[in-house]
Amino acid sequence: MSRDLLLIDTAEKLAELPRTGSGPRAVVMTMGALHQGHATLIRSARELAGPGGQVVVTVFVNPLQFGANEDLDRYPRTLDADLELARGAGADAVFAPAVDEVYPGGDPQVRITAGPMGTRLEGATRPGHFDGMLTVVAKLLHLTRPDLALFGQKDAQQLALIRRMVTDLNFPVEVVGVPTVREEDGLALSSRNRYLSGPERRTALALSRALFAGRDRLAAQAALRARAEAAPASDERATALARLGEIRASADAHAVSSAAAAAGTGLPDAVRAAARHVLDEAGRHEPPLVLDYLALVDPQDFTDVGPDFTGRAVLAVAAKVGTTRLIDNIPLEFGAHS
């Protein structure tokens, strides 16, 4: 059932918003142009807040996180539709301020700095982006005063930096990551998907296919090694391990060029190679996919993982198709015996 929805456009009115019931206040921060990925975030916030809690959605296109050649003016602004989606997903209030309400003195002189993690991957491609993002998130956390803040895992580096900021600067809020929502064909939901033509969308599907190829390579090779290591400690075990090496070499030769197959021996290298093969193929499509980066990184600091890495990692990709830049990622788990 849809709830009554309050639209708030000033910090003063937001400060006057009473908390409802005894449950927590949860906030979902967006730049508008809401889609079903945002709806999932809002529904998750509603579930966590409970019937006695409160869900606040922010809609603000933050100019600080757009570079000189990026699409600030082109970014879609669809407030009426956003309000309907937020209401239907269970929000209690939407805070949709103007730029001069968030930055009343113009561009802020004091900003949050993202540090070394903010210079990697997305930060290398978009200098200053994460400083602008963290600055507005910090302001919105102060303004909304939530107990919980929910963010999508599709923006994995953003989520990691927000968690780091909240920890390092002692924000009294729990940050909750919500899994990426995908369309039926696998494309991660994004406000920028609307810019893709039919042929561009077909090419863009390579992003998710590459990630899934890396995930499947990890699962297949981990399963093969597990079966081999489960063999008795005898000649049978030695034979099984030798066969494993032959299977892996054959799989690599089929999936990637011989140069890429020879580049690494660990599972992280095989995962990267499988994903790279899909992206290389898409680079020959019409229109082509123009790769920005493919990286397998430690989610704690977004540095590349080595060939013997164990633990949780993020396989991330960014690319342009036509004039539209898209990002995607999936989490992967490398076991101690992978």
Side-chain angles (χ1 to χ4, degrees):
M1 180 182 296
S2 295
R3 305 165 71 96
D4 292 336
L5 185 72
L6 181 63
L7 175 61
I8 302 170
D9 59 2
T10 69
E12 181 180 4
K13 293 176 184 176
L14 181 62
E16 296 171 352
L17 177 66
R19 290 178 179 265
T20 57
S22 58
R25 174 181 286 181
V27 66
V28 174
M29 297 183 190
T30 82
M31 292 208 301
L34 302 188
H35 49 64
Q36 286 305 308
H38 297 108
T40 297
L41 283 169
I42 299 167
R43 285 192 292 267
S44 298
R46 181 78 270 155
E47 182 176 351
L48 291 173
Q54 190 175 58
V55 176
V56 178
V57 176
T58 68
V59 174
F60 179 65
V61 182
N62 178 34
L64 296 191
Q65 63 195 74
F66 286 80
N69 298 315
E70 294 184 337
D71 55 357
L72 173 60
D73 293 334
R74 185 187 178 202
Y75 197 87
R77 291 157 172 84
T78 58
L79 183 58
D80 289 343
D82 294 346
L83 295 174
E84 286 304 310
L85 185 144
R87 179 184 291 107
D92 296 295
V94 169
F95 178 48
V99 172
D100 59 4
E101 183 67 29
V102 177
Y103 304 119
D107 284 356
Q109 298 299 301
V110 176
R111 307 186 186 197
I112 302 291
T113 299
M117 197 197 314
T119 66
R120 298 171 187 139
L121 299 189
E122 286 297 292
T125 300
R126 308 174 67 188
H129 166 73
F130 286 125
D131 292 356
M133 178 276 294
L134 289 177
T135 298
V136 80
V137 168
K139 292 201 69 158
L140 290 172
L141 286 175
H142 286 310
L143 291 168
T144 57
R145 296 169 290 122
D147 303 292
L148 306 169
L150 287 80
F151 298 90
Q153 292 178 359
K154 185 179 82 70
D155 297 297
Q157 194 172 1
Q158 169 180 285
L159 175 59
L161 280 162
I162 291 170
R163 283 181 164 146
R164 188 78 260 172
M165 177 185 73
V166 163
T167 297
D168 289 349
L169 301 184
N170 298 99
F171 279 77
V173 63
E174 179 184 350
V175 175
V176 179
V178 177
T180 301
V181 179
R182 299 184 179 278
E183 301 195 37
E184 289 186 3
D185 56 12
L187 189 67
L189 282 172
S190 169
S191 301
R192 291 186 168 94
N193 290 353
R194 68 186 67 196
Y195 300 145
L196 297 169
S197 68
E200 288 172 345
R201 184 186 175 90
R202 287 191 289 274
T203 295
L205 294 176
L207 273 75
S208 57
R209 285 204 305 266
L211 298 179
F212 299 156
R215 177 197 62 193
D216 292 346
R217 175 65 64 86
L218 172 62
Q221 293 192 193
L224 284 170
R225 177 165 290 183
R227 288 204 304 271
E229 291 182 347
S234 62
D235 290 344
E236 181 182 352
R237 176 179 170 84
T239 301
L241 289 170
R243 185 180 301 115
L244 170 63
E246 295 170 2
I247 292 171
R248 285 181 60 183
S250 174
D252 281 347
H254 177 73
V256 298
S257 68
S258 58
T265 57
L267 279 179
D269 299 299
V271 167
R272 291 185 184 99
R276 171 73 68 167
H277 174 68
V278 175
L279 297 169
D280 287 346
E281 286 286 324
R284 294 187 284 272
H285 291 176
E286 185 54 47
L289 180 143
V290 180
L291 183 65
D292 186 346
Y293 62 75
L294 169 71
L296 184 63
V297 297
D298 185 330
Q300 296 302 311
D301 57 11
F302 271 67
T303 57
D304 289 329
V305 305
D308 299 321
F309 178 84
T310 59
R312 174 156 288 217
V314 172
L315 182 61
V317 63
K320 264 193 171 184
V321 181
T323 61
T324 304
R325 186 175 184 275
L326 300 170
I327 63 172
D328 201 353
N329 73 85
I330 56 171
L332 297 175
E333 188 75 31
F334 290 82
H337 300 289
S338 292

